[in-house]
Structures are given as structure tokens and as C-alpha cells.
Amino acid sequence: MPLTEKLLILAMAAQVLLTLLVLILMGRERVPRVMSGEIAMADIAVDRAAYPLKARLLSNNFDNQFQLPVLFYAAVLLALWAGSVGWLELLLAWAFVILRYAHAAIHITTNRVEQRFVAYTAGLAVLGALWLWLILRLVVLVPGI
């Protein structure tokens, strides 16, 4: 397997790791509160309003890891399926993952919406560029794939 493909798989693994880290942090915030009786199960059965702000931020961020990243996973799998992963795909993939980490860090700490929006929008732009490049490469430049 070429180095670029291995590094692309590592980018996908880094995004999965982010999702799992947020899940663990969320569990550490939520489970003890429910187990101690601080929060009644009935109060969280339908929504998250009973949780403190930190737990809600983590929960919202966890949900967010199943939005744009789903399109990222699809792009990575498409690139791997097509073969000949190039350095541009690799650069865009890692840029997206780095921006997702930045977005998550902002979201679960300061939650400064302006900064979070910039990180999110930059990630969206990079993901759009990745998809644009993949379509160009696979459909226009090498249509025989």
C-alpha cells in the first residue's frame, strides 16, 4: 500500500479518534451526574436541558461529529477505492481533520461562536475542495475508473 494511502487512512483514524474522545469526555460529564442522582433519568429521557452547560456542549459537539465528518469519510473511502491517492487529497484530508479538532476544542471550551464558525466554515471549505478535486480527478481527468 502506498504511503499516501496509509496517511489518508491515518487522517480518517484521527477523525474517528476525535469522535471517541468527545464521547468519552461526554460520558465523564454525564454518567456520574445520573448515577449520583443529581440528574433524574426522567429529566434526560427526551432532551438534554437538565444537564449542565459543559455536558450539553460536549453532547452537541458529539452530534456535530456525525455531520460534516460523514462526508469526509465518504470522500476518503472514495479516494481509497479509486486508488492513486495523491498528495493534494492527503493535504486536504489532514487540513479538514485539524480544523475539526480546532472546532471541537473551541466548542467544548470557550464556545466562542465567532471562532467556532470560522473553524467550521474553513473545514467546510476544505471538505468542499476535497470533493471538488475528487470529482474532477475521477470523472473528468481519469474517466475510465
Side-chain angles (χ1 to χ4, degrees):
M1 177 180 292
L3 177 62
T4 53
E5 290 181 8
K6 289 178 182 180
L7 292 173
L8 189 60
I9 291 169
L10 286 177
M12 188 166 49
Q15 179 59 46
V16 170
L17 178 63
L18 173 60
T19 304
L20 294 175
L21 287 172
V22 173
L23 176 63
I24 291 166
L25 291 172
M26 182 177 67
R28 289 178 63 181
E29 282 290 321
R30 290 167 55 163
V31 172
R33 296 181 192 299
V34 174
M35 297 301 288
S36 71
E38 177 186 338
I39 297 174
M41 285 228 196
D43 292 342
I44 58 167
V46 177
D47 65 33
R48 304 172 187 136
Y51 284 117
L53 178 62
K54 180 74 172 176
R56 288 190 316 245
L57 289 173
L58 285 160
S59 184
N60 289 346
N61 189 262
F62 182 71
D63 289 350
N64 196 260
Q65 299 310 322
F66 295 93
Q67 296 169 8
L68 286 185
V70 171
L71 299 175
F72 169 73
Y73 296 133
V76 168
L77 292 173
L78 177 62
L80 290 168
W81 170 80
S84 300
V85 171
W87 289 101
L88 182 57
E89 288 102 337
L90 193 58
L91 173 71
L92 291 169
W94 275 104
F96 176 77
V97 171
I98 290 166
L99 288 164
R100 294 303 301 166
Y101 272 81
H103 175 268
I106 295 164
H107 200 176
I108 64 177
T109 59
T110 63
N111 197 32
R112 291 196 174 116
V113 176
E114 301 84 8
Q115 291 176 347
R116 201 175 90 208
F117 178 75
V118 168
Y120 182 90
T121 305
L124 175 60
V126 168
L127 183 60
L130 175 59
W131 268 102
L132 217 61
W133 171 246
L134 283 173
I135 297 303
L136 179 67
R137 181 172 77 89
L138 299 177
V139 176
V140 177
L141 300 176
V142 189
I145 292 179

